[in-house]
Every structure is written in structure tokens, then in C-alpha cells.
Amino acid sequence: VIETPPEIQEKMNILESLVESYYKIPEINGQNLTIPLGKTYTLNDDALSGYELLGSYDGVNKNGNTLSITPNKIGSFTINLKQNLNIYSTPFVVYYHSSSQNLLLTGNVPEQEISFSYQVTAGSLDITKYDLETKKCQNKEGKPIGKAVYGLYQKDGTLTTTITVTNCVGSATNIPLGEYYLQEIEAPEGYLLDPQKYEVTITEENITIPQKIQVYEEEDTKKIIIYKEYLKENETLTPEENVKFEIVNKNTNQVVTTLTTDAKGVASTTLSYGTYIIRQISGTPGYEFIEPKEFIVDKNSQNEFTYSFVNKPFLKNIKVLKKDDGLKNQILQSGIKFKLY
């Protein structure tokens, strides 16, 4: 037995290193990862240097012994890699004979394949929207809250997605990690646009838990003022106190409110959107009531508008027939005068 010559040992070491490298499998083989949307997963493994991606994968890059994954959509994905051992043009061949020397023809060894999978997770957001006054999904008159649209913005003001709220609920999914704010873009019919910004933060800790935000809508009401006067016998307009009016919702025929004028003949209230009818239900005896008046309150209405009403006294025709007291015959004579008190 003699010591192996150095030049031979060196080549043996190379061969053993190649064999060891051939059987060294990257640790990621067979794993199932969970990667949040919006985060880059990076793996450094010396064993990866001998592998290449089998195909093109969206958001997956490999450079030497570094593999990076930047998901851009939700789902489950599988990545396949294969050893890159194409040194020769053909595979190796072993020539075997039972009674003579075996021979080896150099060539490529079988290339090993590995695979791993990953699941992409993302955040979600649920919105609940109620009337500010009733704390319900309807206004004080029982009318349901209509559709609203919210925008989910990044910190720098970039719009990420829009959320439509119908029947007082709305939701957004597939939200990447990050800091956001929620702001109303379109208010429901009859409501004011909410200027408030609601902060939303998606982290790795809460990404699987839907974020919940409760918001309230303030009705866009308009003020109506009634000025009530009546015409005295001397043709003087005088404020009429203690006159009652009903305001009726035309669609439901329900009385929304009852108003009573003050000493200045003034009464006022606020109304939400709708079509209404004003009716006078009391007044000064001997004076006519106003004719019922229909009016509309909507987004085009002034914030404050007025109606002035004047009641005139009832006027009746009086016919005087002058007769003889004894004969009861009509006295056919002109110029007879009477005084009416």
C-alpha cells in the first residue's frame, strides 16, 4: 500500500465534491410556503446554484444561489427546478462485460428535479354604514340608505381600489401589506359626502383577519321657513300667530311634521330629500286656509328656502229685499240705504 500521489488525490477530491454537490438538495424542496401579498420572499441556499427554473413564473426570479418571490396575485402556485448539468452532449454510458474490463464513456448524469409550492395571502376589509341619527340602515322616515362608493388609498394618495356599499355593507379583498386610508367618493342619495379619512393597516399579523370599519352617514337636510300673514279689513297684512301646518310625504301620505307659527307668523323645520305637501290645518276664524302646496327637496334645492302665505277673510254676498210691513209687498224704490255693522 502506497500513499495516493497528490495529483491523483486532487482529482479524487474534485470527483467527491461533484458527487456531494450532485446529491445536495436545496432545503426548499417539498415545502409549502405562505407569502403575504405585497412582500418579497428571498431564499439564499448554496445548493440552488446548480439548479435552474423549469419555465417562467410570474414574480419568481433566480440568480445564482438566491431565489426571490414577489407575489402579484392571490392563489396557490408550484415552482419546479432542475439541475443544470448539461456539460456533455450525451448521457454517460457504462460498457459491462462479465469476463473483461468494464468501460465508462463520459457524459451527463441524470438531472435531479425539485419542487415547492406557496400560498399567497392578502388582507380584506368590511365596511358597515348606518344613518348618523337612527344608527340603522334607514333614515328617520324609514327610507333605506342608498348606494355609496369609497376609495381605499395608499398613504401617498394613490387609489388602490374602490368599494361599493349597498344595503349598508361593502367589502374589499386582495389587499397587500401596507398602510391605507378609506374615504368616501360618492355619498348615497340624500346624504352629505363624508370628508373623514379612516386609517387601515394590513400587517403580517392581521392579514388573515378581515379589518372592520363602522361609518355613519349624515343626511343632507334643507331648511324650510313659512311666513304666515292674514289680510285685515283695512287691507293691512298682519303676522298670523298660532297657525298650524302639516307637512306630508307625498309618496307615503304620512305626516312628517306639524308646524305652528310664532308671534311673528314664522314656523320652520328641516326636511330630508323627498316630495312633500304643505297643508294648513288651523287658522284665524273667518279667514280662508291656503291651498295645499307641493314642493320637492333634493340636492338641487337651496339649503334654506321660504314660503309666504296670506289668508284673506271669507267674503259672502248679502242681498237685501225691502218689503211693506203690512202688505208684505216688495217696495220697488231705489235709493234706500242700510248700514252694516
Side-chain angles (χ1 to χ4, degrees):
V1 178
I2 62 171
E3 292 186 5
T4 305
E7 63 272 18
I8 300 298
Q9 187 62 54
E10 181 181 358
K11 295 185 181 298
M12 290 173 61
N13 292 340
I14 293 175
L15 288 172
E16 290 175 355
S17 174
L18 289 172
V19 171
E20 182 182 359
S21 176
Y22 175 79
Y23 286 113
K24 189 174 183 181
I25 305 297
E27 293 182 4
I28 200 171
N29 182 42
Q31 292 190 24
N32 188 7
L33 309 174
T34 298
I35 305 174
L37 189 66
K39 180 180 180 180
T40 298
Y41 173 86
T42 302
L43 173 69
N44 291 300
D45 189 336
D46 290 340
L48 281 172
S49 59
Y51 284 78
E52 62 181 12
L53 293 170
L54 275 178
S56 176
Y57 301 94
D58 217 11
V60 179
N61 292 288
K62 181 184 174 300
N63 184 15
N65 60 358
T66 301
L67 179 73
S68 64
I69 304 172
T70 306
N72 51 28
K73 58 184 177 181
I74 301 297
S76 298
F77 306 92
T78 300
I79 305 299
N80 297 299
L81 297 97
K82 184 178 181 180
Q83 283 180 321
N84 183 12
L85 300 176
N86 292 319
I87 302 172
Y88 302 97
S89 59
T90 58
F92 75 89
V93 179
V94 175
Y95 294 94
Y96 170 77
H97 197 277
S98 60
S99 59
S100 63
Q101 186 177 7
N102 299 326
L103 297 177
L104 173 67
L105 179 65
T106 57
N108 294 320
V109 295
E111 296 169 317
Q112 297 192 97
E113 294 186 13
I114 66 167
S115 66
F116 68 93
S117 59
Y118 63 92
Q119 177 80 29
V120 181
T121 59
S124 61
L125 172 65
D126 293 333
I127 304 173
T128 307
K129 179 180 216 49
Y130 290 145
D131 182 279
L132 179 62
E133 185 174 343
T134 66
K135 302 299 187 290
K136 298 179 181 179
C137 193
Q138 59 188 30
N139 64 8
K140 58 182 179 292
E141 297 174 14
K143 182 180 179 182
I145 298 177
K147 182 188 74 172
V149 179
Y150 277 82
L152 185 64
Y153 298 88
Q154 297 178 20
K155 276 284 190 177
D156 61 0
T158 302
L159 179 64
T160 300
T161 186
T162 57
I163 305 169
T164 300
V165 179
T166 54
N167 297 324
C168 294
V169 293
S171 61
T173 57
N174 299 345
I175 305 174
L177 297 175
E179 296 182 353
Y180 306 88
Y181 66 86
L182 185 73
Q183 189 170 22
E184 191 171 39
I185 298 174
E186 179 184 326
E189 179 73 17
Y191 287 85
L192 299 172
L193 191 69
D194 185 1
Q196 186 172 346
K197 295 179 179 180
Y198 303 90
E199 292 187 356
V200 179
T201 302
I202 305 297
T203 65
E204 290 189 56
E205 289 73 26
N206 69 13
I207 197 168
T208 58
I209 304 171
Q211 303 301 295
K212 298 182 182 298
I213 292 183
Q214 174 72 66
V215 293
Y216 294 96
E217 285 285 11
E218 182 180 358
E219 270 202 286
D220 182 17
T221 57
K222 309 292 183 178
K223 186 175 183 180
I224 174 174
I225 304 174
I226 296 175
Y227 292 98
K228 185 67 181 66
E229 297 174 308
Y230 67 105
L231 195 63
K232 285 192 171 182
E233 294 176 9
N234 59 1
E235 300 295 315
T236 301
L237 287 175
T238 304
E240 190 174 2
E241 185 180 4
N242 204 33
V243 179
K244 291 185 178 180
F245 293 90
E246 283 183 344
I247 297 183
V248 179
N249 187 309
K250 183 181 178 181
N251 295 326
T252 63
N253 203 32
Q254 298 294 317
V255 176
V256 176
T257 186
T258 301
L259 306 177
T260 303
T261 58
D262 58 17
K264 296 181 180 180
V266 178
S268 65
T269 188
T270 56
L271 296 172
S272 54
Y273 287 12
T275 302
Y276 301 93
I277 297 173
I278 299 177
R279 291 197 302 231
Q280 184 179 348
I281 58 175
S282 74
T284 302
Y287 283 81
E288 298 176 349
F289 286 3
I290 67 167
E291 291 291 328
K293 183 174 182 61
E294 181 179 315
F295 64 98
I296 296 174
V297 177
D298 59 19
K299 63 181 179 181
N300 298 318
S301 303
Q302 296 179 354
N303 289 331
E304 183 176 299
F305 55 100
T306 62
Y307 288 109
S308 296
F309 301 112
V310 176
N311 283 0
K312 296 180 180 180
F314 288 113
L315 298 177
K316 300 294 184 179
N317 293 326
I318 298 177
K319 182 179 181 180
V320 179
L321 184 64
K322 181 68 174 167
K323 292 184 178 183
D324 179 272
D325 186 44
L327 300 176
K328 302 301 181 183
N329 293 327
Q330 185 174 346
I331 300 174
L332 301 177
Q333 182 181 346
S334 64
I336 300 174
K337 295 183 177 181
F338 293 86
K339 287 185 178 181
L340 182 64
Y341 295 89

